[in-house]
Amino acid sequence: MILLSVVLGAMPLSARATEASIQDMRLWTAPDHSRLVLDLTRSVKYQVFRLHDPERVVIDIEHARLKASPAKLKLPDPVIQAVRYGTPAKGVLRLVIDVKEQVKPRTFLLKPMQGKPNRLVVDLLRPETEQKAAIIASDKRRSRDIIVAVDAGHGGEDPGAIGPRGLKEKTVTLAVAKKLASLIDRQQGMRAVLIRKGDYFVPLGKRVRLARAAHADMMISIHADSVRIRSVKGCSVYTLSERGATTDKAAQALAAKENAADEIGGAPLDEVDDPMVSKILGDMFRRDALNSSQILAEKMLARLKKTGPVKYGIPKRARFVVLGALEIPSVLVELDYISNPERERKLRDASHQQRLASALFDASRQFFEQMGRLGKQASLKHGSTVL
Ligand SMILES: [Zn+2]
């Protein structure tokens, strides 16, 4: 038995007497890991270790009892075969996760935030998939296509904004991102990389790192906004501002809201970084990318105007962590207000999603044409050749 980690939850003495209860559990499957999230009534002390033959990960939680049922988890997933539980000693709840391959467990506690309770996050990391991703990325580099990183905001534990009829921002952003990616992939000379491919959370810093690893030439981060006043509607487009150059208070508040994703979605400490600080670039290089981002943002607004209402007619600037790839043009698009019932209905509609994706695609293609990176009448890969 190898003890991998002992984490002490911050817990006042008076709380020790009361048992913690696990009220709910959720499973999110990402390409490189599976994540089990336990909702707790209070913070806990726990231990994690691995056992072999057969492979399993064991979590012993002190003074806890299970109210949620593992039977509701959609199992098996690519990593987890089954989740069992028992009481090996008085006052200890043991969760046993049967896994299909050797995984590296990574666990951490999350404090209550935006309606979410104390949570224990158990990530089971698959070592091999990281290598595969790197190989795929280097293959793409060799092809010399223009690579666009398409980033669907939020995911997994982090639903993003939620509409009055229950539509989640994470669902809309993924649907539009997939449509945009397939338009890009059909274009000769362009290729898309989806930063998030399913319903799981990707920390903000990791989104930037994935774009870099794929040698992306552009980053489009897709979101939908929300506000208490339900009549508010329309799209807006944002670029990165350097410290102190935020357009206005509203843009600053939006960036703070989007930047909080790591705390809601659950980013392990080693993945909470500020890519803008860690990457040092020459001033001219950076200014060039910021100018390009501005040009791209203007093109996107011009196209999006044809699909529906516009909230702000000019691109705004704020300090979004996800736009930290300073070396490439990067924009964050708020498609519309999901808090507006009429716009929520539109955002749910597949043909409207397709129109939004087309607008973003047209703007990106025009941008690269203007930069001389793409032939003016580039043909479709699978369509008839246009000369
Ligand atoms: Zn968002």
Side-chain angles (χ1 to χ4, degrees), residues 280-291:
I280 299 158
L281 287 162
D283 265 358
M284 263 178 59
F285 195 24
R286 190 164 56 205
R287 215 172 299 134
D288 196 42
L290 288 175
N291 289 341

Side-chain angles (χ1 to χ4, degrees), residues 22 25 36 38 57-61 66 70 83-86 88 93-97 120 122:
I22 298 171
M25 53 171 76
L36 192 65
L38 309 177
V57 175
V58 180
I59 305 148
D60 281 348
I61 307 172
L66 194 62
V83 177
R84 299 176 281 125
Y85 60 97
L93 171 69
R94 171 168 290 182
L95 285 177
V96 180
I97 307 171
L120 172 61
V122 181

Side-chain angles (χ1 to χ4, degrees), residues 153-154 158 160-161 169 173 222-225 254 257-258 332 334:
H154 312 276
D158 173 21
E169 181 184 355
T173 59
I222 301 171
H223 291 260
D225 210 344
L254 177 71
K257 198 163 69 177
E258 299 293 7
L332 184 141
E334 298 282 351

